[in-house]
Amino acid sequence: MGLLDRVNQPADLLRLSPAELATLAEEIRQTILKTVAANQGHLSSNLGVVELTMAMHIVFESPRDRILWDVGHQCYTHKLLTGRRDGFPTLRKTGGLSGFPKPAESPHDWFHTGHAGTALSSALGLAVARDLKGETGQVIAVVGDGSFPNGMSMEAANQIGHLKPDMIVVLNDNEMAISKAVGAMSQYLTRIITSTRYGRFRDRVRTYLERYRRVGPAVSQLIKRLEADVTSIWGPGVLFEELGFRYLGPFDGNDIALMAEVFRQARFLKGPTLIHAVTKKGHGFAPAEADPITYYSPAGFDVVTGALAPKKAKLPSWSDAFTDALIRLAGEDPRIVAVTAAMLEGTMLKKFQERFPGRIHDVGIAEEHAVGFAGGLAAGGLRPVVAIYSTFMQRAYDQVMHDVCLQNLPVVLAMDRGGLVGEDGPTHHGVFDFAFLRHLPNLVVMAPSDENELVNMLATALSLNHPSSIRFPRGQILGVPVDPFPKPLPVGKGRLLREGNDVALIAIGTQVSVALAVADRLAAERGIRASVVDARFVKPLDEELIVSLAGRCGRIVTMEEHVRMGGFGSAVLELLAVRNIRVPVHVLALPDAFVEQGHPGILRERYCLAPGPAFEAVARFLGVRGAAAGA
């Protein structure tokens, strides 16, 4: 039995000697390596915070002391120490442990997180609620260096500096994000941890001032103020001090004993305290230390050598197809520029950066700024393409409305990971974008059914003089031939792929291939002839095509990998209502609920978005003539 088997709750750490704690850290690290190698997940970030997490749980009494994890993708050690060791092999599996903090799993988790920049606001709220209720306990927010410059983090820091509650912010400085950290804050933190000049200067000043400590109370006070002033001018944490925090650090975040002592001292300090902990990304696993980006979330690897699992021959991803098309179009139009928010690798824009280094901007984890910045680029005569995951575009909703659509600027929103994305779960599924975009004036909303449609939709978007959005899924492309020269599509016109008079299957995006499969089975097994439409556009709809199909077929099924409320099916129902057309309509879409984690294939089967279950759902609908709209 290993030491980890003896740790069921954080209090069990208090019974271990320093040597045993070091052994436990290695056992935790090996457990994380084996689990991520099998299940995939976030590796480098979790290896870097093993000791830091242990130190927090040695000192703080969770859940009485509330520990919040910003983003939450570094919480694996926390899960292992808080009673979830036995369930850890199910990490990120369907029905298993979440890869992020999740209150439904444990009272040690306070928020179900997955987006960066939220912890400071939530922690401040908990601290204020604690004080108003007269409760005790510390509030600790663990925030990465990539998340701290996020707009929401800075807004929270501003109020923390004003209210000055008792709380601790642990700045986990490891330069670890999906892409390399960028921006002035990143450069500032780098200067803090690499500069030795301040330390030498401070020591010299203190040595000099010590000579005059006994010259009398008045002069002594003057000297103390002088020392404080010198520190405030030259000190490494001056920015945080000016924001209202007491700054402590930088410290070696991978030293358990040191960090435990720092936390012991900090827990009794009044007001907001920021502890700057420098951790090594991928710590303890040489391959991840050498290449933390590759091992950020590896698909599979050898836990001894770090050798990555050989890649199976497969088609390129949708992200590849998007970037390749963007590169081709940018070669013809010098106005085209790309903008992303800490997702150069995830969106495959690294290739664009290599080809056009002066025409791409990674703004860091700042989606709101990315879209607002793109509005300025467009107003200045450029053609910006903003590549952000669908789930993160939600964060920039106001900027899409106010700074792009209201101004009617030709900004292209390229939303990767549209639809179900799998094991990251409800914080990452991109299933709300149709609903929060289609009601905005001036905006064209598109979703391709294959990679050739994606290429031509990108050409369409860049040809428009007003805003547009393109939403495409995660995973491999379909392998259809791609037009050598991308051409704009007629806006608001769908494609009639199959003709039939018994029912109209009107699908958008990835569900078009499902609709074709359903139509084949309906014809083969039920003798039902279905029309199949690739709608292409969520807004504007191809009204005449939909109206004509309603009249000819008398029954409609809409199909989308999106929530039912406010989505594509809702748009079709609105159109029919306005035209006073009464035909049975069945909306195949996701329910009004947050979809759990799981393999996308399993989830599509569960929610009738795969060919087999979709066929059964359509057959049931057709067997009940006159079914209520939207049933």
Side-chain angles (χ1 to χ4, degrees):
M1 177 182 290
L3 286 171
L4 183 55
D5 294 320
R6 292 160 47 187
V7 178
N8 298 304
Q9 293 296 331
D12 294 333
L13 296 173
L14 302 178
R15 292 192 287 269
L16 301 181
S17 67
E20 287 175 321
L21 289 172
T23 300
L24 176 61
E26 182 56 27
E27 289 184 14
I28 290 173
R29 188 164 279 109
Q30 289 302 314
T31 300
I32 291 173
L33 283 168
K34 291 175 183 177
T35 303
V36 175
N39 298 8
Q40 197 174 351
H42 296 94
L43 185 66
S44 296
S45 54
N46 279 287
L47 295 179
V49 298
V50 173
E51 291 82 4
L52 181 67
T53 307
M54 291 174 63
M56 282 193 292
H57 279 299
I58 287 170
V59 174
F60 299 113
E61 299 176 27
S62 177
R64 175 178 172 272
D65 292 325
R66 306 151 178 86
I67 300 175
L68 283 75
W69 300 88
D70 199 86
V71 184
H73 67 329
Q74 74 282 53
C75 70
Y76 294 179
T77 300
H78 170 76
K79 286 179 181 276
L80 286 167
L81 297 177
T82 53
R84 287 168 276 183
R85 178 194 63 240
D86 292 342
F88 201 69
T90 69
L91 185 76
R92 304 179 77 251
K93 294 290 188 179
T94 305
L97 290 182
S98 171
F100 298 92
K102 186 176 181 180
E105 285 182 5
S106 170
H108 295 275
D109 294 355
W110 286 88
F111 283 86
H112 191 161
T113 57
H115 291 184
T118 66
L120 287 183
S121 295
S122 301
L124 176 59
L126 282 173
V128 170
R130 172 203 62 196
D131 295 343
L132 285 174
K133 294 169 67 179
E135 297 176 345
T136 59
Q138 188 57 265
V139 177
I140 307 99
V142 186
V143 183
D145 57 294
S147 295
F148 203 94
N150 177 271
M152 186 173 173
S153 291
M154 298 307 293
E155 291 169 10
N158 180 61
Q159 190 183 11
I160 290 170
H162 171 67
L163 296 177
K164 294 182 172 52
D166 294 342
M167 62 181 292
I168 293 172
V169 175
V170 179
L171 176 59
N172 175 33
D173 186 356
N174 67 0
E175 300 180 340
M176 187 72 248
I178 299 175
S179 297
K180 182 176 175 57
V182 297
M185 178 66 78
S186 176
Q187 296 170 9
Y188 173 69
L189 295 175
T190 299
R191 287 197 301 271
I192 289 178
I193 63 177
T194 59
S195 175
T196 60
R197 289 185 297 171
Y198 164 71
R200 292 197 302 268
F201 175 78
R202 177 193 60 196
D203 292 342
R204 289 172 184 171
V205 168
R206 286 179 176 172
T207 299
Y208 179 79
L209 293 176
E210 281 296 331
R211 301 176 187 175
Y212 302 96
R213 288 291 185 191
R214 301 180 181 178
V215 296
V219 177
S220 178
Q221 286 299 115
L222 177 62
I223 290 171
K224 288 182 180 179
R225 287 198 299 271
L226 174 61
E227 183 177 3
D229 289 343
V230 169
T231 299
S232 69
I233 295 172
W234 294 96
V238 60
L239 172 61
F240 302 111
E241 296 279 357
E242 290 299 322
L243 286 172
F245 291 86
R246 182 196 302 268
Y247 173 85
L248 302 177
F251 300 107
D252 180 358
N254 295 118
D255 186 325
I256 299 175
L258 172 63
M259 292 312 305
E261 183 58 31
V262 170
F263 291 139
R264 287 190 188 98
Q265 299 299 324
R267 69 177 306 172
F268 298 109
L269 297 176
K270 295 298 182 181
T273 300
L274 186 139
I275 298 173
H276 186 175
V278 180
T279 58
K280 178 71 173 177
K281 41 199 170 185
H283 183 66
F285 187 54
E289 290 186 12
D291 189 357
I293 297 297
T294 296
Y295 289 88
Y296 173 79
S297 183
F301 60 95
D302 186 283
V303 297
V304 177
T305 66
L308 297 171
K311 293 184 178 180
K312 299 178 182 178
K314 61 181 183 180
L315 294 167
S317 69
W318 284 84
S319 304
D320 283 308
F322 158 72
T323 298
D324 291 343
L326 185 62
I327 289 172
R328 194 183 334 170
L329 292 165
E332 302 170 359
D333 187 345
R335 299 175 301 163
I336 295 174
V337 293
V339 180
T340 190
M343 297 176 193
L344 280 175
E345 282 78 10
T347 59
M348 302 306 294
L349 281 176
K350 198 75 175 175
K351 294 187 293 184
F352 188 96
Q353 185 183 53
E354 293 168 357
R355 178 70 184 277
F356 304 107
R359 294 164 61 183
I360 186 165
H361 300 274
D362 181 357
V363 302
I365 305 175
E367 294 85 358
E368 302 95 325
H369 165 60
V371 174
F373 172 58
L377 292 172
L382 298 181
R383 290 294 176 130
V385 177
V386 185
I388 295 176
Y389 295 179
S390 169
T391 184
F392 298 133
M393 189 64 77
Q394 295 161 189
R395 299 161 66 89
Y397 174 79
D398 183 61
Q399 286 70 32
V400 173
M401 187 284 289
H402 183 273
D403 301 314
V404 173
C405 291
L406 180 61
Q407 320 303 326
N408 201 22
L409 292 168
V411 173
V412 179
L413 306 177
M415 292 180 296
D416 202 332
R417 271 63 165 179
L420 298 170
V421 299
E423 292 81 357
D424 282 336
T427 59
H428 282 61
H429 292 313
V431 296
F432 303 105
D433 46 80
F434 292 165
F436 71 75
L437 290 177
R438 75 177 183 87
H439 62 259
L440 293 174
N442 299 325
L443 183 66
V444 171
V445 181
M446 298 174 270
S449 57
D450 58 47
E451 58 269 34
N452 189 52
E453 288 290 292
L454 170 61
V455 170
N456 290 327
M457 284 182 181
L458 186 56
T460 304
L462 289 166
S463 72
L464 301 176
N465 290 317
H466 48 82
S468 58
S469 72
I470 307 170
R471 178 248 221 179
F472 51 93
R474 183 183 189 179
Q476 298 179 56
I477 56 176
L478 303 185
V480 305
V482 174
D483 294 338
F485 302 102
K487 56 183 182 298
L489 303 172
V491 175
K493 294 298 178 182
R495 293 191 298 166
L496 182 61
L497 303 177
R498 192 80 55 85
E499 290 198 51
N501 296 324
D502 297 323
V503 63
L505 307 180
I506 307 175
I508 189 77
T510 56
Q511 286 295 293
V512 171
S513 61
V514 177
L516 289 168
V518 169
D520 288 341
R521 283 192 64 182
L522 287 173
E525 299 181 19
R526 305 293 174 90
I528 295 173
R529 295 185 304 157
S531 287
V532 178
V533 172
D534 176 1
R536 283 179 166 169
F537 295 86
V538 176
K539 179 187 177 182
L541 291 174
D542 191 335
E543 297 190 4
E544 297 312 312
L545 177 59
I546 294 171
V547 168
S548 67
L549 287 171
R552 189 172 83 227
C553 299
R555 292 176 292 187
I556 291 175
V557 176
T558 65
M559 304 172 68
E560 62 193 299
E561 195 166 308
H562 183 275
V563 293
R564 179 178 293 111
M565 296 183 69
F568 172 69
S570 292
V572 172
L573 287 167
E574 290 165 13
L575 167 63
L576 296 176
V578 168
R579 296 289 190 97
N580 198 28
I581 298 172
R582 298 186 178 185
V583 296
V585 177
H586 185 67
V587 177
L588 271 182
L590 294 166
D592 180 26
F594 288 107
V595 178
E596 65 274 27
Q597 70 192 42
H599 187 280
I602 294 175
L603 296 178
R604 291 184 183 111
E605 290 279 341
R606 180 173 296 171
Y607 292 104
C608 296
L609 301 180
F615 166 76
E616 296 295 338
V618 173
R620 285 194 299 271
F621 167 67
L622 296 178
V624 183
R625 292 184 179 275

mmCIF file of all heavy atoms in Angstrom, residues 437-451:
data_model
loop_
_atom_site.group_PDB
_atom_site.id
_atom_site.type_symbol
_atom_site.label_atom_id
_atom_site.label_comp_id
_atom_site.label_asym_id
_atom_site.label_seq_id
_atom_site.Cartn_x
_atom_site.Cartn_y
_atom_site.Cartn_z
ATOM 1 N N LEU A 437 -26.330 34.397 -31.139
ATOM 2 C CA LEU A 437 -25.882 35.212 -32.265
ATOM 3 C C LEU A 437 -27.007 35.550 -33.248
ATOM 4 O O LEU A 437 -27.024 36.645 -33.810
ATOM 5 C CB LEU A 437 -24.760 34.489 -33.029
ATOM 6 C CG LEU A 437 -23.408 34.364 -32.317
ATOM 7 C CD1 LEU A 437 -22.443 33.559 -33.172
ATOM 8 C CD2 LEU A 437 -22.821 35.734 -32.001
ATOM 9 N N ARG A 438 -27.939 34.638 -33.455
ATOM 10 C CA ARG A 438 -28.857 34.837 -34.581
ATOM 11 C C ARG A 438 -29.823 35.999 -34.384
ATOM 12 O O ARG A 438 -30.396 36.492 -35.357
ATOM 13 C CB ARG A 438 -29.620 33.546 -34.876
ATOM 14 C CG ARG A 438 -30.723 33.182 -33.915
ATOM 15 C CD ARG A 438 -31.444 31.910 -34.391
ATOM 16 N NE ARG A 438 -32.571 31.549 -33.543
ATOM 17 C CZ ARG A 438 -33.799 32.022 -33.700
ATOM 18 N NH1 ARG A 438 -34.055 32.893 -34.655
ATOM 19 N NH2 ARG A 438 -34.766 31.626 -32.886
ATOM 20 N N HIS A 439 -30.017 36.452 -33.145
ATOM 21 C CA HIS A 439 -30.944 37.564 -32.941
ATOM 22 C C HIS A 439 -30.261 38.923 -33.074
ATOM 23 O O HIS A 439 -30.918 39.952 -32.922
ATOM 24 C CB HIS A 439 -31.612 37.452 -31.566
ATOM 25 C CG HIS A 439 -30.652 37.513 -30.422
ATOM 26 N ND1 HIS A 439 -30.226 36.402 -29.757
ATOM 27 C CD2 HIS A 439 -30.022 38.560 -29.844
ATOM 28 C CE1 HIS A 439 -29.382 36.756 -28.801
ATOM 29 N NE2 HIS A 439 -29.234 38.060 -28.843
ATOM 30 N N LEU A 440 -28.954 38.949 -33.355
ATOM 31 C CA LEU A 440 -28.245 40.227 -33.468
ATOM 32 C C LEU A 440 -28.371 40.780 -34.888
ATOM 33 O O LEU A 440 -28.019 40.095 -35.863
ATOM 34 C CB LEU A 440 -26.766 40.053 -33.110
ATOM 35 C CG LEU A 440 -26.479 39.707 -31.647
ATOM 36 C CD1 LEU A 440 -24.994 39.423 -31.447
ATOM 37 C CD2 LEU A 440 -26.930 40.829 -30.724
ATOM 38 N N PRO A 441 -28.849 42.001 -35.032
ATOM 39 C CA PRO A 441 -28.977 42.590 -36.373
ATOM 40 C C PRO A 441 -27.624 42.682 -37.083
ATOM 41 O O PRO A 441 -26.576 42.775 -36.454
ATOM 42 C CB PRO A 441 -29.540 43.989 -36.086
ATOM 43 C CG PRO A 441 -30.214 43.865 -34.759
ATOM 44 C CD PRO A 441 -29.386 42.879 -33.981
ATOM 45 N N ASN A 442 -27.676 42.651 -38.389
ATOM 46 C CA ASN A 442 -26.530 42.798 -39.295
ATOM 47 C C ASN A 442 -25.638 41.570 -39.386
ATOM 48 O O ASN A 442 -24.728 41.530 -40.218
ATOM 49 C CB ASN A 442 -25.649 44.005 -38.922
ATOM 50 C CG ASN A 442 -26.374 45.320 -38.993
ATOM 51 O OD1 ASN A 442 -27.230 45.504 -39.864
ATOM 52 N ND2 ASN A 442 -26.070 46.235 -38.086
ATOM 53 N N LEU A 443 -25.856 40.554 -38.550
ATOM 54 C CA LEU A 443 -24.948 39.411 -38.486
ATOM 55 C C LEU A 443 -25.466 38.241 -39.317
ATOM 56 O O LEU A 443 -26.601 37.802 -39.148
ATOM 57 C CB LEU A 443 -24.772 38.968 -37.035
ATOM 58 C CG LEU A 443 -23.794 37.822 -36.775
ATOM 59 C CD1 LEU A 443 -22.367 38.250 -37.094
ATOM 60 C CD2 LEU A 443 -23.896 37.367 -35.318
ATOM 61 N N VAL A 444 -24.616 37.723 -40.193
ATOM 62 C CA VAL A 444 -24.900 36.504 -40.947
ATOM 63 C C VAL A 444 -24.335 35.331 -40.157
ATOM 64 O O VAL A 444 -23.183 35.367 -39.716
ATOM 65 C CB VAL A 444 -24.268 36.551 -42.351
ATOM 66 C CG1 VAL A 444 -24.389 35.199 -43.051
ATOM 67 C CG2 VAL A 444 -24.931 37.636 -43.193
ATOM 68 N N VAL A 445 -25.144 34.273 -39.968
ATOM 69 C CA VAL A 445 -24.733 33.122 -39.160
ATOM 70 C C VAL A 445 -24.723 31.876 -40.044
ATOM 71 O O VAL A 445 -25.758 31.483 -40.584
ATOM 72 C CB VAL A 445 -25.691 32.915 -37.967
ATOM 73 C CG1 VAL A 445 -25.232 31.731 -37.108
ATOM 74 C CG2 VAL A 445 -25.768 34.180 -37.122
ATOM 75 N N MET A 446 -23.544 31.251 -40.171
ATOM 76 C CA MET A 446 -23.354 30.101 -41.059
ATOM 77 C C MET A 446 -22.795 28.906 -40.302
ATOM 78 O O MET A 446 -22.133 29.069 -39.277
ATOM 79 C CB MET A 446 -22.375 30.460 -42.187
ATOM 80 C CG MET A 446 -22.823 31.566 -43.107
ATOM 81 S SD MET A 446 -21.528 32.046 -44.297
ATOM 82 C CE MET A 446 -20.677 33.322 -43.367
ATOM 83 N N ALA A 447 -23.042 27.713 -40.833
ATOM 84 C CA ALA A 447 -22.457 26.484 -40.292
ATOM 85 C C ALA A 447 -22.252 25.506 -41.442
ATOM 86 O O ALA A 447 -23.225 25.102 -42.090
ATOM 87 C CB ALA A 447 -23.346 25.875 -39.216
ATOM 88 N N PRO A 448 -21.014 25.110 -41.721
ATOM 89 C CA PRO A 448 -20.736 24.220 -42.856
ATOM 90 C C PRO A 448 -21.027 22.760 -42.544
ATOM 91 O O PRO A 448 -20.863 22.298 -41.416
ATOM 92 C CB PRO A 448 -19.247 24.440 -43.102
ATOM 93 C CG PRO A 448 -18.692 24.751 -41.736
ATOM 94 C CD PRO A 448 -19.779 25.543 -41.045
ATOM 95 N N SER A 449 -21.416 22.030 -43.565
ATOM 96 C CA SER A 449 -21.663 20.599 -43.428
ATOM 97 C C SER A 449 -20.438 19.772 -43.769
ATOM 98 O O SER A 449 -20.373 18.590 -43.424
ATOM 99 C CB SER A 449 -22.826 20.180 -44.332
ATOM 100 O OG SER A 449 -22.556 20.533 -45.682
ATOM 101 N N ASP A 450 -19.466 20.360 -44.453
ATOM 102 C CA ASP A 450 -18.217 19.670 -44.775
ATOM 103 C C ASP A 450 -17.130 20.719 -44.989
ATOM 104 O O ASP A 450 -17.389 21.928 -44.944
ATOM 105 C CB ASP A 450 -18.373 18.755 -45.998
ATOM 106 C CG ASP A 450 -18.829 19.498 -47.258
ATOM 107 O OD1 ASP A 450 -18.253 20.567 -47.568
ATOM 108 O OD2 ASP A 450 -19.760 19.023 -47.939
ATOM 109 N N GLU A 451 -15.918 20.267 -45.234
ATOM 110 C CA GLU A 451 -14.789 21.193 -45.329
ATOM 111 C C GLU A 451 -14.837 22.082 -46.561
ATOM 112 O O GLU A 451 -14.349 23.221 -46.541
ATOM 113 C CB GLU A 451 -13.455 20.443 -45.282
ATOM 114 C CG GLU A 451 -13.257 19.408 -46.357
ATOM 115 C CD GLU A 451 -13.727 18.020 -45.951
ATOM 116 O OE1 GLU A 451 -14.715 17.918 -45.198
ATOM 117 O OE2 GLU A 451 -13.105 17.036 -46.395
#
